[in-house]
Amino acid sequence: MSTSAAVIKADAVEQAAYDVMVKAGIEIPDDYLGGIQAMADTEEGDLSAFVLRAMLENYEAAKQDRRAMCADTGVPRFYVKYGNEAGVEGGPVAVEHRIRRATARATHEVPLRPNRVHPLSRRDNDNNVGINAPEIEYSFEPDADWVDITTVHKGGLFGTDYRMLFPADGIDGIKRFYLDTLVAFGKRGLACQPAIVGIGLGGSKDTSVVLGKQAACLRTVGDRNPDPEIAALELELKEIGNSIGMGAMGFVGSSMVVDCHIEVGYTHTGGMPMSVHCFCLSSRRATARLFPDGRIEYRTDPQWFTPYLRRDSVDWAPGRMEAAE
Amino acid sequence: MSGMLKEVRLKTPVRDEDLRRLELGNVVYLDGLIYTGREGVYKRVLQEGMDPPEDLRALTNVNFHCSPAASVNADGSFNVGAVTATASFRFSKWLPQWFEVSGAKVIIGKGGMSEADYRSVFVPARAVYLTTVGYGTGALLGRGIRKVRAAHWLDDLGIAQAMWVLEVEKFGPLLVESDLDGNSLFERQNRIVNQGLARLYEGLKPPSLSRYGETDDRGEELIG
């Protein structure tokens, strides 16, 4: 791909960021909806089944009325993936500015709940914008001239935990901490399950927390990690979660985990840090891809974890590596 | 086997005899007036000693632990979209005094309180707890709001913590979480779930590094 002279307009960035805020807030993604429908059909706990049916009605009501599906906006945040050949008018500073403007505007116009306050003074700007808010995380993609903007609205209080495990704890340690988290936060439905459970394994402590959140929020129901060993563990953990005996709102049932996603990072040779995250009954995510010719395409699969992002080698030359095999 | 939950429709202010008829797990819809109040309101009234912005006893007896997804229009009117509850256990310390000051008989929220709180605080106040469903059915509850009567202390507390007085119609679904005897639906369900937990942990040895204060009692809860 040649370097294009055309740059992505800053206005388009704001439009895309605004649109994904609105879509995420109102439209439940099809992959998650399908997962909840399947659970509603098989759930045998009467209370848990009632909750799932109420949620299915709620998704419909949100779309019909064009109102947010959940009043808890969570802590809205953004994920930006830059094509290596992409250019944006005004540069990355303009991108961040436009994202902040779109966040404030969408908060007022949808409306979304202005959740973000100063942690000590509790000052609320009433627009979900403030110091370090919304967070913006970045990744890059080779041979691409587009920019992807994803937003995720995930609750911020319950359903997430972190623990430093060690190699001696092994897979058993992973299963145990996973169960600890789901049982503890599943009671009374604090985790707003059934959830897409994301697990971050490895990296540094903070990396494991970031990876786990991305695994929960940036992959779709049914998606499997390309590493067969990790994919098998994802399916096993999903099964274990649904055999706890707990369903929606912590009522007796089987609907706990819509899917389980694991992401890994190389870690300290002596450790195995792990995080668990529950993306809730209002799993809100939406992505826009901006092209240099002005087009904006919308989707619900962020396509965040690309082969490039998960690379294991010093050099990135996928074509050559395949040829050598 | 679902679809068998009993539905009840209640008018506010809710009468004592209506509350007495409620059974754990009933599905409730409300008509009338409710108001939101959470830590912002509780702190002002109970810690800073300010009078509630209107006579709550005359208004209604339903307190909703909620912050709406709302905005204020240029003409001063309100645009309320979705409405969901916030977790109630965090407000436990304020409730004994709040019942006295407000005369509330129904608390609506997320996740309930502990059975100990129901027995020692709710039962003497002749109050029950209704939990929102999901969580949360923000759009369905939002549909149930006919009108915003007032948004008190909006400038000082912000949209999330202000006291919203809401006129509602078929506001729900809500589930009866505690009854007038202080029983808790969540704790009843937890006791059943807890029976199966030992089997799940069989063979999984504890991690090499413990966490200070950690317990292995799986009957424990995070709240309270």
Side-chain angles (χ1 to χ4, degrees):
Chain A
M1 195 170 299
S2 65
T3 309
S4 167
V7 295
I8 295 164
K9 298 279 184 259
D11 281 347
V13 170
E14 185 170 331
Q15 184 65 47
Y18 177 84
D19 288 345
V20 291
M21 281 290 287
V22 174
K23 284 174 183 289
I26 295 174
E27 301 164 15
I28 193 77
D30 282 339
D31 59 280
Y32 183 79
L33 176 63
I36 295 299
Q37 279 164 337
M39 283 183 149
D41 289 342
T42 54
E43 177 59 80
E44 292 186 353
D46 55 351
L47 288 160
S48 178
F50 171 79
V51 175
L52 295 177
R53 284 200 314 275
M55 289 308 299
L56 290 172
E57 269 179 56
N58 187 63
Y59 303 141
E60 270 311 302
K63 280 185 266 193
Q64 281 169 11
D65 297 4
R66 300 305 294 168
R67 65 169 91 223
M69 68 182 89
C70 181
D72 187 344
T73 317
V75 279
R77 59 157 61 203
F78 285 85
Y79 297 88
V80 176
K81 192 184 280 294
Y82 263 96
N84 193 43
E85 323 299 332
V88 178
E89 175 193 12
V93 169
V95 170
E96 296 203 324
H97 176 221
R98 294 309 185 116
I99 283 175
R100 288 170 83 86
R101 275 177 50 158
T103 301
R105 197 151 60 85
T107 297
H108 183 76
E109 287 174 13
V110 171
L112 302 170
R113 188 165 97 195
N115 251 12
R116 296 280 202 160
V117 302
H118 188 286
L120 291 174
S121 72
R122 315 307 293 181
R123 176 189 157 81
D124 192 338
N125 290 335
D126 274 349
N127 60 10
N128 282 315
V129 176
I131 300 171
N132 280 310
E135 298 88 345
I136 306 174
E137 286 176 50
Y138 297 94
S139 68
F140 303 92
E141 190 63 15
D143 302 321
D145 60 358
W146 42 255
V147 171
D148 273 357
I149 296 180
T150 296
T151 191
V152 165
H153 303 176
K154 178 186 178 299
L157 305 184
F158 314 113
T160 295
D161 206 356
Y162 156 80
R163 182 157 197 155
M164 178 57 82
L165 299 172
F166 298 92
D169 295 324
I171 297 290
D172 278 4
I174 292 171
K175 286 180 184 168
R176 193 178 165 108
F177 181 55
Y178 169 79
L179 279 172
D180 285 348
T181 308
L182 292 189
V183 171
F185 289 104
K187 287 183 177 176
R188 297 169 186 260
L190 292 181
C192 297
Q193 72 268 15
I196 304 177
V197 179
I199 294 175
L201 268 185
S204 190
K205 292 182 184 71
D206 54 335
T207 315
S208 95
V209 174
V210 167
L211 281 174
K213 174 140 184 173
Q214 293 181 352
C217 299
L218 300 177
R219 289 175 52 192
T220 56
V221 173
D223 180 46
R224 293 276 70 85
N225 191 295
D227 179 326
E229 199 182 340
I230 297 173
L233 186 58
E234 289 178 340
L235 290 171
E236 189 185 356
L237 290 181
K238 177 184 170 185
E239 182 63 35
I240 290 174
N242 288 330
S243 65
I244 291 174
M246 198 188 273
M249 286 178 78
F251 294 139
V252 172
S254 58
S255 306
M256 192 72 198
V257 181
V258 181
D259 208 345
C260 176
H261 297 141
I262 303 173
E263 291 298 328
V264 301
Y266 275 34
T267 191
H268 190 294
T269 185
M272 191 171 63
M274 168 168 172
S275 72
V276 180
H277 307 250
C278 295
F279 200 17
C280 58
L281 268 167
S282 298
S283 278
R284 290 154 290 176
R285 61 169 133 75
T287 300
R289 177 162 293 180
L290 294 123
F291 295 93
D293 63 7
R295 273 179 304 137
I296 306 177
E297 286 176 3
Y298 295 95
R299 60 181 198 267
T300 53
D301 179 358
Q303 299 171 16
W304 180 258
F305 287 100
T306 60
Y308 175 74
L309 194 65
R310 289 183 177 126
R311 68 198 181 279
D312 194 6
S313 55
V314 173
D315 299 315
W316 174 248
R320 225 177 42 216
M321 285 167 69
E322 278 162 29
E325 278 169 11
Chain B
M1 68 187 288
S2 50
M4 287 158 47
L5 304 181
K6 187 180 156 199
E7 268 190 29
V8 184
R9 204 152 162 179
L10 296 180
K11 276 196 174 58
T12 74
V14 181
R15 297 173 308 173
D16 190 66
E17 58 262 42
D18 293 330
L19 295 181
R20 202 168 322 137
R21 277 197 289 272
L22 293 180
E23 294 167 7
L24 298 189
N26 286 172
V27 180
V28 176
Y29 293 89
L30 292 175
D31 300 283
L33 286 178
I34 64 174
Y35 63 87
T36 70
R38 51 184 297 180
E39 62 266 53
V41 168
Y42 293 156
K43 272 187 189 168
R44 279 206 144 188
V45 176
L46 304 178
Q47 284 170 224
E48 293 162 26
M50 287 180 71
D51 287 330
E54 54 185 301
D55 180 359
L56 295 178
R57 283 175 190 276
L59 186 73
T60 182
N61 55 10
V62 182
N63 174 192
F64 187 16
H65 289 157
C66 156
S67 307
S71 58
V72 184
N73 300 319
D75 64 1
S77 63
F78 305 106
N79 181 14
V80 176
V83 181
T84 38
T86 196
S88 299
F89 69 88
R90 295 168 290 160
F91 313 136
S92 168
K93 71 167 183 176
W94 287 299
L95 279 188
Q97 220 188 329
W98 183 251
F99 281 131
E100 280 177 32
V101 169
S102 68
K105 297 289 176 200
V106 175
I107 300 287
I108 306 172
K110 172 184 174 182
M113 323 283 287
S114 68
E115 213 162 57
D117 273 348
Y118 293 140
R119 299 253 151 96
S120 63
V121 179
F122 280 63
V123 169
R126 301 203 57 72
V128 303
Y129 186 101
L130 305 179
T131 178
T132 53
V133 170
Y135 312 88
T137 56
L140 293 178
L141 293 176
R143 271 185 176 178
I145 294 175
R146 282 284 146 268
K147 199 179 151 196
V148 177
R149 279 279 189 95
H152 297 297
W153 295 338
L154 190 62
D155 292 342
D156 304 323
L157 298 181
I159 287 171
Q161 296 283 343
M163 179 186 276
W164 294 79
V165 181
L166 307 169
E167 205 176 293
V168 299
E169 186 184 337
K170 201 170 190 255
F171 183 77
L174 310 166
L175 285 171
V176 177
E177 141 67 1
S178 86
D179 58 22
L180 282 182
D181 297 324
N183 298 303
S184 159
L185 176 65
F186 283 126
E187 294 206 16
R188 188 178 282 184
Q189 293 278 304
N190 281 346
R191 285 191 279 271
I192 301 172
V193 170
N194 288 346
Q195 289 167 7
L197 293 181
R199 167 188 56 84
L200 280 170
Y201 280 87
E202 233 168 80
L204 301 178
K205 63 181 186 315
S208 359
L209 185 71
S210 298
R211 295 201 284 197
Y212 194 73
E214 188 165 42
T215 169
D216 253 1
D217 178 355
R218 310 205 184 282
E220 290 231 333
E221 284 200 71
L222 295 180
I223 73 159

